[in-house]
């Protein structure tokens, strides 16, 4: 049905907003069923970059599943980096990084941290608080790799400070001196 509507749009004038809505819903459908290749082909078929940007951003703002969020954040960063405001760019890159970190976690545990996908530092802190040290190790390595090539609202030093803070808390323990009784 989406493809039929798309053909119709080539034959008859369709208002811009309706065209954006049609392509956005088609894109979300393709991403939902996991067909990333067709989703990419759909985006490449759209001739107007403004419409393509609007479709991608609106689809991302609808908070699709993890793989779709990762795909859209990656696509927007790769194709529309210069068209995005600094705040929006940081937001999308944080979502990209958070999604990438989530993909390193065991599949059954991802749902517990999905709500933090746009806030990778907070996700890292939550993993530390839940004592998921092995997962934190993989997440930190991933974030270090990503921060080496991208700028976002935090740095490697922020990650190190967070790790130091929780390492210090792990060493804090209360004790009471007992008096010897004769």
């Amino acid at each position: 049905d989406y493809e039929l509507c798309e053909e119709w749009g080539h034959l008859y004038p369709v208002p811009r907003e309706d065209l954006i809505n049609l392509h956005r819903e088609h894109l979300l459908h393709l991403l939902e069923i996991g067909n990333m290749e067709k989703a990419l082909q759909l985006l490449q078929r759209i001739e107007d970059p403004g419409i393509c940007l609007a479709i991608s951003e609106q689809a991302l703002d609808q908070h699709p599943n993890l793989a779709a969020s990762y795909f859209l954040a990656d696509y927007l960063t790769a194709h529309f980096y210069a068209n995005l405001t600094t705040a929006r760019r940081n937001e999308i890159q944080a979502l990209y990084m958070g999604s990438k970190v989530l993909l390193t976690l065991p599949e059954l545990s991802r749902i517990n941290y999905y709500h933090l996908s746009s806030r990778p530092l907070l996700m890292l802190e939550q993993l530390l608080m839940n004592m998921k040290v092995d997962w934190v190790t993989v997440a930190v390595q991933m974030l270090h790799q990503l921060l080496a090539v991208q700028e976002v609202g935090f740095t490697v030093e922020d990650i190190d400070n967070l790790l130091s803070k929780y390492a210090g808390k792990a060493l804090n323990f209360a004790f009471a001196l007992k008096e010897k009784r004769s």
Side-chain angles (χ1 to χ4, degrees):
D1 291 345
Y2 290 118
E3 290 169 4
L4 178 62
C5 289
E6 187 177 335
E7 287 178 32
W8 186 270
H10 291 296
L11 298 173
Y12 298 98
V14 176
R16 179 182 166 92
E17 283 305 310
D18 292 340
L19 197 59
I20 290 172
N21 291 338
L22 165 71
H23 287 307
R24 183 190 66 238
E25 293 305 317
H26 188 193
L27 178 63
L28 286 170
H29 169 72
L30 291 171
L31 293 172
E32 187 177 303
I33 62 172
N35 197 336
M36 305 303 176
E37 188 175 321
K38 277 198 171 187
L40 184 59
Q41 290 170 359
L42 169 68
L43 290 170
Q44 290 172 341
R45 276 195 313 267
I46 299 168
E47 295 172 1
D48 184 347
I51 290 178
C52 192
L53 173 61
I55 292 164
S56 303
E57 278 195 293
Q58 287 178 18
L60 185 63
D61 290 340
Q62 289 192 352
H63 305 290
N65 64 37
L66 176 61
S69 293
Y70 176 75
F71 172 87
L72 289 166
D74 185 38
Y75 184 82
L76 282 164
T77 302
H79 293 88
F80 297 106
Y81 189 83
N83 301 65
L84 301 169
T85 64
T86 303
R88 182 69 170 158
R89 194 178 307 142
N90 286 344
E91 178 185 324
I92 290 171
Q93 287 181 322
L95 181 62
Y96 173 78
M97 288 181 174
S99 299
K100 188 109 172 161
V101 168
L102 271 176
L103 289 169
T104 66
L105 301 181
E107 194 170 340
L108 295 175
S109 301
R110 293 176 188 164
I111 191 71
N112 297 330
Y113 301 96
Y114 180 74
H115 66 285
L116 299 172
S117 60
S118 62
R119 303 189 58 203
L121 267 183
L122 194 56
M123 184 188 318
L124 192 60
E125 186 168 6
Q126 187 70 49
L127 289 169
L128 285 167
M129 290 182 353
N130 290 340
M131 301 296 289
K132 305 294 185 187
V133 179
D134 294 339
W135 298 357
V136 169
T137 303
V138 175
V140 167
Q141 289 172 349
M142 177 63 64
L143 287 172
H144 277 250
Q145 289 172 1
L146 292 170
L147 286 171
V149 294
Q150 291 181 334
E151 282 188 33
V152 70
F154 61 93
T155 63
V156 172
E157 289 78 28
D158 294 326
I159 294 171
D160 292 344
N161 290 338
L162 182 68
L163 293 173
S164 296
K165 173 182 166 185
Y166 278 89
K169 287 183 179 197
L171 295 176
N172 276 342
F173 51 92
F175 67 94
L177 292 174
K178 292 187 177 182
E179 294 180 21
K180 287 186 177 181
R181 294 186 184 186
S182 53

